[in-house]
Every structure is written in C-alpha cells, then in structure tokens.
Amino acid sequence: MEKTPKSMRLHIALFGRTNVGKSSFLNMISGQDIAITSPIPGTTTDVVEKSMELLPLGPVMFLDTAGLDDTTVLADQRIRKSTGVFKRAEIVTLLCESGIWGQAEKNILAKAADNKLPVIAVINKIDKNAVAADFVSMLHNEGIKHIIPVSSVDNSKREQYLTEFKQALIDCCPEDFIQPPPLVGDLIRSGGVAMLIVPIDLQAPKGRLILPQVQTIRDTLDSDASVIVVKEREYAYMLSQLKTPPDIVICDSQVVMKMVADTPPGLACTTFSILFSRLKGDMRIMAEGAAAIGNIKNGDKILIAEACSHHPSADDIGRVKIPRWLRQYIGADIEVEVYAGRDYPENLAEYSLVVHCGGCMFNRKEILSRIHMARTANVPITNYGMCISFTQGVLERVLTPFPAALDAFRSERDRLAGQ
Ligand code: SF4
C-alpha cells in the first residue's frame, strides 16, 4: 500500500447550498483543481473524495457534496448521496455567504446535530460580499463556534485561510479519531510475538495481503513486537517449533475452527474480524448480536452487509458460506439479503439480524452509524468473525482475550434463553 487507507483518514464533509463555492474552497485548500467548478449550480454530480495530508493533523479525506437545495434533474440522487455522507463524516464544514441563510443551511445544521457532528462555518466569497457583524452573531446563535471568512479565489491569503481552517479542524477533531480503540497492540507484550494465520486460497487477492492483515502486522510492529505469518496447514507445526509460545494467535474467520483445534488451552487466540469489531465499532454490541443467532427462526430475514463491493466468487463468504453456516446451525431455512459497498437499507426493522463484515474499508464513524441504526430499529447486529465463530461453537474461546465482550455475549445469551 502506497497511501494511508481512506478508512484511517479524518473524514471532513463539505456542505452548502449549490454554487456557494464548495469545490473552489476545496481546490484552495488542496492547492489543486480536483473538483468540477462552474458557475452553473449543481455541477458536482456525486460526492467527490479528495485525500490529502494536512499537517499537523495528518491524513484527511474531504467529501465534497452536492448542494442540499439542488433542484436539477438528478437532484434526488445527488441529495441522497450527500445525506449519506453524514453517516461517515467526522466534521462538517458548512459553506455559506454573508446574509444568505435559509432552510438549506438549517437542514445541514439539523442533520449535523442528529449525527452529533461538530460544525465549522466558512463564510465564502468575502471579496464580493463583505461579512456582516449580525450574520456572524446569527451563526454564533445557531451554536457554531468556529467561523472562518474566506475568499476561495484570493490566493494571496491562502496561507492565512489554511492556517485558520486547520486550527478549527484540530479544535473540533473528535476524541474517538485522535485516540481510537487499539487494534491488537494491547494484547501483545513489547518484545512478544503475534502469530497470524492467513489462508492463501482462490479468494486471496493476487500478490498482496488484505487490509486487516496488513493493519494487524503494522500495529504489532508499532508495539515493538514481532509477527509470524503462516498458512493454516503450517500453523500447528510452526507453533510446535517455537521455544516460547506467541502472545496471541489471530486467524482468518474461515479457518477459526481449525485454529482453535490446533491451539493449546490457555494460549490467547482470536480472529481478524473480531479485532476489527473493537477498532471499528462496538465489540460488546457485536458480541451481544452473536448471541441472538440462537433465537433465529425458520423464515427469518437476515441482512448481510459487506463494505467491499467486489465481484462475488463461487464460494463467497458473505453470499454463500455465512448463509450456509447459519442455516446449518439454525437447522431451518432463512431469507438472506446482501448489501455491498455503501448500499445499506434505511429501514432495518424487517430483519431479525444484521451480520456485518469487519468493515476495514470504512472509517469507525460509518460502522458506528450502522450499529446505531440497528440499535434504533431494535435489531441485533454482529460481525462476520463473531457469527462464524458462534455457528462453529468456538465464540467463547476467541472472545476470551476480551473479557467485557465475553461477559456481554454470555449475559445476552442467558437473557435470551430465559425469555
Ligand atoms: S469485506 Fe469488509 S472486512 Fe473484508 S476486506 Fe472488505 S471491508 Fe474489509
């Protein structure tokens, strides 16, 4: 990988009414022409993503959206995509013009508040329309603390605008982004070893490892520990050759049963997907969701959500294997619906369970938004690693390194059994 993955970048959404200059502002910040800019309203047809390094913040990604007041032919589609951005944005930048404030801006503030997002107001076009003091007071009254007047076309002030904007981003950067939960570093001693089991089968991408494996290797090295990577067939032999056992063994969920069978009692083990349930979302909620599999009945509808929109293979994990393992475990038929990429149903109430992939391609905010949607609809949610481990009877073993999640699973399982 040559660049920091999108999922690890601070997501900054740009909102505003059509033609307020969102794309020009983005061009000024980046110092490049990356979005289509035109005086014709509604030129930004899709959410335009722009990744850049914004020091001292680090890697960020701007999400340049269509105007929420768009009235052109493609308006519905554009506005739906723009609205979806609130689910993954971590900071909202609202562009406006002095004296121009209406329902479009109020809608953006309301959606930002619904999603608990900090807002920076950028008053654009000050070269044409000077900032009025009562406009600034009105923004303060709307609860906006960070207000930055700019002219996106005035390059002589670019450094000043950039400095003010970066300071505002630093001031309102969410704690969860600055200090996310650990991936694996807290489970390995400095100088210790993590052993990774990585199946190399037909589904493995050519010439590389996948993101969860790469991130786990990097996090282990960041913890001053070492990594041993093996395929599942070599695992038992390699383990027997070590003088000192590894601190933890981590496997792909698809080989979890074999990994547990080959791992001596007392040696910590888990799956990549379970590690990611903590980094990306809420591990305890996902563990509770796994307990709900025990209550699935014949004919229930289950949603499989996969963050990648890859071409499905013949023995696809989400479309084939997980439905098969669930049907085998439940001993009855279930209806399975698969949503991939950013497609995700607005209403989850018709499902009895959501099974989400590890979500390594999404930022933490987006997975938390999906968890929130499931909780609001009163639908249990779990992830691939927990679901597979549960159906294969090894979930408690692979949750053992995470006592709080193991307790949450057991409490929920006992509660459901008592119903
Ligand atoms: S399917 Fe999910 S967990 Fe797997 S690589 Fe894609 S985003 Fe990551």
Side-chain angles (χ1 to χ4, degrees):
M1 286 192 300
E2 290 172 5
K3 291 184 178 165
T4 303
K6 284 181 187 176
S7 57
M8 297 176 76
R9 295 172 176 271
L10 180 69
H11 284 41
I12 306 159
L14 293 185
F15 283 104
R17 59 175 68 202
T18 45
N19 221 23
V20 72
K22 295 187 296 296
S23 301
S24 311
F25 175 72
L26 184 53
N27 287 344
M28 182 192 72
I29 294 296
S30 69
Q32 307 165 27
D33 270 5
I34 56 107
I36 311 158
T37 54
S38 147
I40 307 160
T43 315
T44 307
T45 55
D46 212 337
V47 176
V48 177
E49 297 180 352
K50 171 65 182 168
S51 298
M52 66 180 88
E53 297 290 319
L54 217 50
L55 295 174
L57 263 169
V60 303
M61 189 165 79
F62 284 93
L63 307 167
D64 182 13
T65 67
L68 290 186
D69 59 332
D70 191 349
T71 53
T72 56
V73 182
L74 291 171
D76 275 0
Q77 203 184 341
R78 287 190 182 122
I79 290 170
R80 207 166 343 105
K81 285 188 174 166
S82 294
T83 304
V85 165
F86 286 102
K87 303 250 179 294
R88 55 184 167 130
E90 284 150 320
I91 296 176
V92 165
T93 298
L94 171 55
L95 271 96
C96 54
E97 269 186 73
S98 184
I100 303 177
W101 189 264
Q103 202 51 49
E105 286 76 12
K106 287 183 181 166
N107 288 345
I108 294 163
L109 284 191
K111 281 181 188 287
D114 285 350
N115 289 277
K116 299 187 173 55
L117 295 173
V119 176
I120 298 169
V122 172
I123 308 175
N124 199 11
K125 303 188 183 180
I126 59 169
D127 50 311
K128 291 187 189 150
N129 186 2
V131 181
D134 60 346
F135 187 72
V136 173
S137 304
M138 184 277 298
L139 292 180
H140 281 304
N141 290 339
E142 291 279 2
I144 302 175
K145 290 194 193 117
H146 300 281
I147 300 166
I148 307 171
V150 306
S151 163
S152 297
V153 292
D154 184 355
N155 259 333
S156 67
K157 296 238 176 79
R158 179 177 176 267
E159 280 310 312
Q160 177 199 323
Y161 298 149
L162 192 54
T163 304
E164 288 173 11
F165 183 59
K166 285 197 290 192
Q167 189 56 52
L169 290 174
I170 291 166
D171 290 346
C172 57
C173 189
E175 197 54 40
D176 211 27
F177 180 82
I178 299 167
Q179 193 71 54
L183 176 55
V184 70
D186 60 322
L187 303 172
I188 312 171
R189 291 163 301 127
S190 171
V193 172
M195 196 156 192
L196 312 189
I197 304 176
V198 173
I200 303 294
D201 53 18
L202 287 176
Q203 290 178 53
K206 196 172 178 182
R208 65 178 174 90
L209 297 177
I210 59 173
L211 188 54
Q213 296 156 359
V214 174
Q215 278 189 245
T216 305
I217 291 171
R218 173 62 197 263
D219 202 52
T220 306
L221 297 176
D222 283 343
S223 307
D224 298 325
S226 305
V227 189
I228 299 173
V229 185
V230 291
K231 292 197 285 187
E232 69 276 23
R233 269 181 320 213
E234 283 75 39
Y235 167 54
Y237 172 74
M238 278 304 296
L239 195 58
S240 72
Q241 298 302 298
L242 296 179
K243 282 196 191 129
T244 311
D247 294 87
I248 189 160
V249 178
I250 302 153
C251 73
D252 185 285
S253 301
Q254 300 187 57
V255 296
V256 68
M257 205 155 71
K258 175 163 174 47
M259 183 269 287
V260 168
D262 289 346
T263 304
L267 176 51
C269 60
T270 193
T271 72
F272 291 106
S273 184
I274 288 174
L275 287 180
F276 270 75
S277 73
R278 181 171 65 156
L279 178 74
K280 294 286 175 180
D282 189 318
M283 186 181 233
R284 291 169 60 165
I285 291 177
M286 293 293 198
E288 285 171 6
I293 297 170
N295 275 29
I296 302 289
K297 298 182 297 302
N298 190 36
D300 278 0
K301 197 165 169 182
I302 291 176
L303 172 67
I304 304 271
E306 201 159 271
C308 287
S309 43
H310 59 265
H311 184 68
S313 64
D315 209 16
D316 194 68
I317 178 84
R319 289 162 184 79
V320 180
K321 287 183 177 167
I322 290 180
R324 185 171 70 220
W325 286 324
L326 280 169
R327 288 186 181 108
Q328 279 168 358
Y329 178 83
I330 296 159
D333 202 12
I334 48 168
E335 196 181 332
V336 173
E337 254 180 32
V338 179
Y339 276 68
R342 295 236 130 73
D343 283 344
Y344 196 65
E346 270 303 313
N347 182 10
L348 296 174
E350 62 182 297
Y351 301 100
S352 301
L353 176 71
V354 177
V355 185
H356 207 293
C357 77
C360 67
M361 300 294 202
F362 280 1
N363 67 349
R364 180 169 161 76
K365 170 72 192 326
E366 189 158 13
I367 298 290
L368 286 173
S369 296
R370 290 183 169 197
I371 291 174
H372 178 70
M373 286 170 72
R375 300 284 277 188
T376 307
N378 210 14
V379 175
I381 180 167
T382 190
N383 86 349
Y384 280 17
M386 300 222 193
C387 173
I388 295 169
S389 303
F390 180 88
T391 58
Q392 308 207 352
V394 295
L395 181 59
E396 289 187 72
R397 177 71 200 274
V398 290
L399 278 184
T400 303
F402 313 98
L406 182 57
D407 281 353
F409 166 73
R410 286 176 171 156
S411 306
E412 183 63 2
R413 179 194 58 193
D414 296 348
R415 188 187 73 77
L416 292 171
Q419 275 184 353

